[in-house]
PDB file of all heavy atoms in Angstrom:
ATOM      1  N   ASP A  34     -22.058   5.183   2.018  1.00 79.00           N
ATOM      2  CA  ASP A  34     -22.253   5.367   0.579  1.00 79.00           C
ATOM      3  C   ASP A  34     -20.875   5.550  -0.040  1.00 79.00           C
ATOM      4  O   ASP A  34     -20.174   6.515   0.280  1.00 79.00           O
ATOM      5  CB  ASP A  34     -23.117   6.598   0.304  1.00 79.00           C
ATOM      6  CG  ASP A  34     -23.493   6.718  -1.167  1.00 79.00           C
ATOM      7  OD1 ASP A  34     -22.857   6.049  -2.007  1.00 79.00           O
ATOM      8  OD2 ASP A  34     -24.425   7.486  -1.476  1.00 79.00           O
ATOM      9  N   VAL A  38     -20.009  12.344  -4.006  1.00 79.00           N
ATOM     10  CA  VAL A  38     -20.802  13.289  -4.790  1.00 79.00           C
ATOM     11  C   VAL A  38     -21.110  12.669  -6.144  1.00 79.00           C
ATOM     12  O   VAL A  38     -20.213  12.100  -6.789  1.00 79.00           O
ATOM     13  CB  VAL A  38     -20.052  14.632  -4.991  1.00 79.00           C
ATOM     14  CG1 VAL A  38     -20.882  15.578  -5.853  1.00 79.00           C
ATOM     15  CG2 VAL A  38     -19.715  15.274  -3.659  1.00 79.00           C
ATOM     16  N   LEU A  58      -0.457  13.513   0.489  1.00 95.00           N
ATOM     17  CA  LEU A  58       0.233  13.562   1.782  1.00 95.00           C
ATOM     18  C   LEU A  58       1.629  12.953   1.682  1.00 95.00           C
ATOM     19  O   LEU A  58       2.587  13.458   2.292  1.00 95.00           O
ATOM     20  CB  LEU A  58      -0.598  12.836   2.837  1.00 95.00           C
ATOM     21  CG  LEU A  58      -1.863  13.559   3.310  1.00 95.00           C
ATOM     22  CD1 LEU A  58      -2.635  12.688   4.291  1.00 95.00           C
ATOM     23  CD2 LEU A  58      -1.512  14.889   3.969  1.00 95.00           C
ATOM     24  N   LEU A  94       1.246   6.649 -11.605  1.00 90.00           N
ATOM     25  CA  LEU A  94       0.992   5.714 -12.706  1.00 90.00           C
ATOM     26  C   LEU A  94       1.368   4.291 -12.301  1.00 90.00           C
ATOM     27  O   LEU A  94       0.656   3.332 -12.637  1.00 90.00           O
ATOM     28  CB  LEU A  94       1.787   6.147 -13.937  1.00 90.00           C
ATOM     29  CG  LEU A  94       1.346   7.453 -14.608  1.00 90.00           C
ATOM     30  CD1 LEU A  94       2.300   7.834 -15.723  1.00 90.00           C
ATOM     31  CD2 LEU A  94      -0.075   7.318 -15.151  1.00 90.00           C
ATOM     32  N   GLY A  95       2.466   4.139 -11.567  1.00 90.00           N
ATOM     33  CA  GLY A  95       2.871   2.816 -11.110  1.00 90.00           C
ATOM     34  C   GLY A  95       1.840   2.192 -10.186  1.00 90.00           C
ATOM     35  O   GLY A  95       1.541   0.996 -10.286  1.00 90.00           O
ATOM     36  N   ILE A 105      -5.655  -8.295 -11.521  1.00 78.00           N
ATOM     37  CA  ILE A 105      -6.184  -9.168 -12.573  1.00 78.00           C
ATOM     38  C   ILE A 105      -5.314 -10.423 -12.708  1.00 78.00           C
ATOM     39  O   ILE A 105      -5.827 -11.549 -12.772  1.00 78.00           O
ATOM     40  CB  ILE A 105      -6.247  -8.415 -13.916  1.00 78.00           C
ATOM     41  CG1 ILE A 105      -7.231  -7.231 -13.822  1.00 78.00           C
ATOM     42  CG2 ILE A 105      -6.643  -9.357 -15.046  1.00 78.00           C
ATOM     43  CD1 ILE A 105      -8.656  -7.621 -13.528  1.00 78.00           C
ATOM     44  N   PHE A 144      12.723   6.155 -13.123  1.00 96.00           N
ATOM     45  CA  PHE A 144      13.001   7.539 -12.723  1.00 96.00           C
ATOM     46  C   PHE A 144      14.456   7.693 -12.278  1.00 96.00           C
ATOM     47  O   PHE A 144      15.112   8.689 -12.599  1.00 96.00           O
ATOM     48  CB  PHE A 144      12.058   7.954 -11.598  1.00 96.00           C
ATOM     49  CG  PHE A 144      12.140   9.410 -11.243  1.00 96.00           C
ATOM     50  CD1 PHE A 144      11.393  10.348 -11.945  1.00 96.00           C
ATOM     51  CD2 PHE A 144      12.966   9.849 -10.219  1.00 96.00           C
ATOM     52  CE1 PHE A 144      11.474  11.702 -11.628  1.00 96.00           C
ATOM     53  CE2 PHE A 144      13.056  11.196  -9.898  1.00 96.00           C
ATOM     54  CZ  PHE A 144      12.302  12.121 -10.602  1.00 96.00           C
ATOM     55  N   PHE A 169      -4.964   5.058   3.985  1.00 92.00           N
ATOM     56  CA  PHE A 169      -6.191   5.538   3.345  1.00 92.00           C
ATOM     57  C   PHE A 169      -6.809   4.466   2.456  1.00 92.00           C
ATOM     58  O   PHE A 169      -8.035   4.355   2.363  1.00 92.00           O
ATOM     59  CB  PHE A 169      -5.901   6.808   2.543  1.00 92.00           C
ATOM     60  CG  PHE A 169      -5.696   8.021   3.394  1.00 92.00           C
ATOM     61  CD1 PHE A 169      -4.429   8.498   3.662  1.00 92.00           C
ATOM     62  CD2 PHE A 169      -6.777   8.687   3.950  1.00 92.00           C
ATOM     63  CE1 PHE A 169      -4.224   9.616   4.461  1.00 92.00           C
ATOM     64  CE2 PHE A 169      -6.605   9.804   4.750  1.00 92.00           C
ATOM     65  CZ  PHE A 169      -5.320  10.267   5.015  1.00 92.00           C
ATOM     66  N   GLY A 209     -22.399 -12.816   3.812  1.00 89.00           N
ATOM     67  CA  GLY A 209     -23.328 -13.476   4.713  1.00 89.00           C
ATOM     68  C   GLY A 209     -23.783 -12.537   5.823  1.00 89.00           C
ATOM     69  O   GLY A 209     -23.374 -11.374   5.886  1.00 89.00           O
ATOM     70  N   TYR A 219      -7.725  -3.678  10.701  1.00 97.00           N
ATOM     71  CA  TYR A 219      -6.469  -4.230  11.227  1.00 97.00           C
ATOM     72  C   TYR A 219      -5.308  -3.821  10.321  1.00 97.00           C
ATOM     73  O   TYR A 219      -4.227  -3.438  10.792  1.00 97.00           O
ATOM     74  CB  TYR A 219      -6.512  -5.753  11.290  1.00 97.00           C
ATOM     75  CG  TYR A 219      -7.597  -6.379  12.126  1.00 97.00           C
ATOM     76  CD1 TYR A 219      -7.875  -7.737  12.017  1.00 97.00           C
ATOM     77  CD2 TYR A 219      -8.355  -5.636  13.029  1.00 97.00           C
ATOM     78  CE1 TYR A 219      -8.859  -8.341  12.778  1.00 97.00           C
ATOM     79  CE2 TYR A 219      -9.347  -6.226  13.796  1.00 97.00           C
ATOM     80  CZ  TYR A 219      -9.604  -7.582  13.668  1.00 97.00           C
ATOM     81  OH  TYR A 219     -10.577  -8.175  14.417  1.00 97.00           O
ATOM     82  N   ARG A 233       9.219   6.181  10.664  1.00 97.00           N
ATOM     83  CA  ARG A 233       9.500   7.525  11.197  1.00 97.00           C
ATOM     84  C   ARG A 233      10.602   7.451  12.254  1.00 97.00           C
ATOM     85  O   ARG A 233      11.514   8.282  12.282  1.00 97.00           O
ATOM     86  CB  ARG A 233       8.218   8.094  11.815  1.00 97.00           C
ATOM     87  CG  ARG A 233       8.388   9.390  12.592  1.00 97.00           C
ATOM     88  CD  ARG A 233       8.332  10.603  11.721  1.00 97.00           C
ATOM     89  NE  ARG A 233       8.434  11.828  12.493  1.00 97.00           N
ATOM     90  CZ  ARG A 233       8.328  13.041  11.985  1.00 97.00           C
ATOM     91  NH1 ARG A 233       8.111  13.200  10.692  1.00 97.00           N
ATOM     92  NH2 ARG A 233       8.430  14.109  12.740  1.00 97.00           N
ATOM     93  N   MET A 273     -10.038 -18.125  -5.365  1.00 70.00           N
ATOM     94  CA  MET A 273      -8.668 -18.607  -5.224  1.00 70.00           C
ATOM     95  C   MET A 273      -8.666 -20.115  -4.945  1.00 70.00           C
ATOM     96  O   MET A 273      -9.521 -20.616  -4.216  1.00 70.00           O
ATOM     97  CB  MET A 273      -7.958 -17.891  -4.075  1.00 70.00           C
ATOM     98  CG  MET A 273      -7.508 -16.476  -4.383  1.00 70.00           C
ATOM     99  SD  MET A 273      -6.018 -16.409  -5.437  1.00 70.00           S
ATOM    100  CE  MET A 273      -6.752 -16.093  -7.033  1.00 70.00           C
TER     101      MET A 273
END
Side-chain angles (χ1 to χ4, degrees):
D34 187 344
V38 178
L58 287 176
L94 292 174
I105 297 298
F144 188 86
F169 286 101
Y219 301 167
R233 171 85 177 184
M273 284 284 100

